[in-house]
Amino acid sequence: MKFLTLEQGQLGALIEDEGQQQVVDLTAAAKLFELEPLPMTLAEIVGWTDEQVAALWGLAQVALDKGVSCRAYSEVKVIAPIPQPRRNILCLGKNYLDHAKEVAEKMQASSDAPEHPIIFTKATTSVIGPGDDIPAHAELTRKLDYEAELALIIGKEGRDIPEEQALDHVFGYTAINDVSARDLQKDHVQWFRAKSLDGFAPMGPVVVHRSVMPEPKDIQVSCHINGEQRQCANLDQLIFDLPTIIATLSKGMTLLPGDIIATGTPAGVGMGFRPSKYLKSGDEVVVSVSGVGSLTNRVV
Ligand SMILES: O=C(O)C/C=C\CC(=O)C(=O)O
């Protein structure tokens, strides 16, 4: 079950039909079939139960079978799944050991695995969707970098969530690019500004419901720049795995439906190369996550 957000903010379902990728406008289909409750946006359904989500998927199948409210994926404009998150994106820093090592020298930081999860946030206004341009912000940075990551979307509110129950609080998964201005990251010490400029959080193209997401050991996160593979790692290489991330973040702080958590980036960021391989205008950046697909953006 893959959900997405269409150009006007409507909820969509991405369905494979006879080898073709089709998108059902669920908002339009639900109106047509006079169904209640009317799903209007992806942000609204993240709190739905498995039964409600399954019923919604049934609606998508019916609409597809009847040929109503559906179009080829190639013909629709998809925006970020949650274009205006209710609060900042929660992010993990240095959560793959090889990445912690590759950035250590440049940032005069330790190359050891962090003892505790490193947590920072990205501003809600940094979110853009698939196909949108990443502004180079050349007046502010000469060290524009990419970071491919798996992100999870919280579905069920919770505080002090035990690790064993952590994944039950996830609605689904998507891909995110934690675009970073390395010079600002160094200058300002705190990472917030360097990672929050407008356009610094490309996200999507779909949210995969947790019930159909591959096992962590089968999830690969990769990044290609102009077709050259720069990053590629498996999710089981995370230093702090998904249950640990959710349990840690929720200790004494309530996680809310719609919260987005970016789980960290593997080795191979531009800053890690000798010499560095920072992004420049015209570069095509493709972040891929198994199960989710590819998120493509161009730097302008
Ligand atoms: O400043 C540091 O110590 C680390 C630099 C990069 C890590 C990073 O941005 C991340 O998200 O991981």
Side-chain angles (χ1 to χ4, degrees):
M1 292 188 279
K2 294 181 176 180
F3 297 100
L4 50 76
T5 298
L6 292 160
E7 195 166 18
Q8 305 301 324
Q10 323 92 293
L11 173 66
L14 179 66
I15 307 191
E16 192 90 22
D17 182 46
E18 294 173 3
Q20 300 276 325
Q21 305 251 68
Q22 295 284 337
V23 173
V24 174
D25 180 335
L26 284 167
T27 307
K31 270 191 197 137
L32 203 65
F33 294 112
E34 297 177 349
L35 294 185
E36 293 288 339
L38 270 184
M40 301 307 286
T41 67
L42 214 166
E44 283 171 51
I45 65 154
V46 296
W48 282 21
T49 63
D50 286 1
E51 292 70 32
Q52 287 176 304
V53 173
L56 193 56
W57 195 253
L59 167 66
Q61 298 280 2
V62 170
L64 187 68
D65 291 347
K66 292 191 181 302
V68 294
S69 310
C70 55
R71 281 161 71 193
Y73 182 55
S74 54
E75 286 172 16
V76 300
K77 165 75 180 153
V78 174
I79 63 172
I82 302 185
Q84 288 159 332
R86 64 195 295 183
R87 58 180 180 179
N88 283 5
I89 302 163
L90 302 161
C91 307
L92 272 282
K94 299 202 278 191
N95 201 21
Y96 290 80
L97 186 57
D98 288 348
H99 172 58
K101 286 189 171 92
E102 73 176 346
V103 299
E105 192 190 315
K106 294 247 170 101
M107 290 298 199
Q108 285 98 44
S110 165
S111 60
D112 295 342
E115 199 181 330
H116 300 284
I118 295 174
I119 294 155
F120 61 94
T121 74
K122 288 174 86 78
T124 59
T125 41
S126 60
V127 172
I128 58 172
D132 289 343
D133 292 335
I134 300 171
H137 291 282
E139 71 292 359
L140 295 173
T141 178
R142 296 274 156 218
K143 296 185 175 177
L144 187 70
D145 213 345
Y146 50 86
E147 292 192 357
E149 306 195 13
L150 170 82
L152 53 88
I153 316 287
I154 292 293
K156 190 165 79 168
E157 180 175 320
R159 200 181 116 153
D160 301 326
I161 301 168
E163 280 179 29
E164 317 78 71
Q165 291 168 21
L167 297 183
D168 300 341
H169 287 256
V170 176
F171 172 81
Y173 299 86
T174 191
I176 194 165
N177 184 353
D178 174 18
V179 181
S180 307
R182 299 301 184 194
D183 32 15
L184 298 185
Q185 190 168 359
K186 201 168 180 186
D187 289 351
H188 294 277
V189 186
Q190 298 273 326
W191 301 359
F192 178 68
R193 179 160 187 251
K195 289 170 176 275
S196 290
L197 299 184
D198 290 355
F200 272 22
M203 198 190 301
V206 301
V207 172
V208 180
H209 190 256
R210 67 165 190 282
S211 60
V212 291
M213 192 65 183
E215 289 292 306
K217 67 175 175 47
D218 298 322
I219 299 174
Q220 202 173 63
V221 177
S222 68
C223 184
H224 289 77
I225 308 296
N226 303 324
E228 176 196 336
Q229 182 176 293
R230 298 276 182 87
Q231 297 183 282
C232 187
N234 196 285
L235 209 70
D236 60 12
Q237 291 171 244
L238 285 178
I239 298 170
F240 300 104
D241 65 9
L242 305 185
T244 308
I245 293 171
I246 293 167
T248 305
L249 279 168
S250 72
K251 275 195 185 113
M253 184 185 90
T254 305
L255 289 178
L256 299 169
D259 278 347
I260 301 163
I261 304 175
T263 56
T265 202
V269 299
M271 177 174 58
F273 288 89
R274 308 285 182 272
S276 311
K277 291 186 177 182
Y278 290 117
L279 293 170
K280 52 187 188 324
S281 291
D283 282 349
E284 182 197 66
V285 187
V286 182
V287 170
S288 304
V289 173
S290 315
V292 173
S294 294
L295 167 69
T296 304
N297 300 90
R298 193 170 288 280
V299 179
V300 296

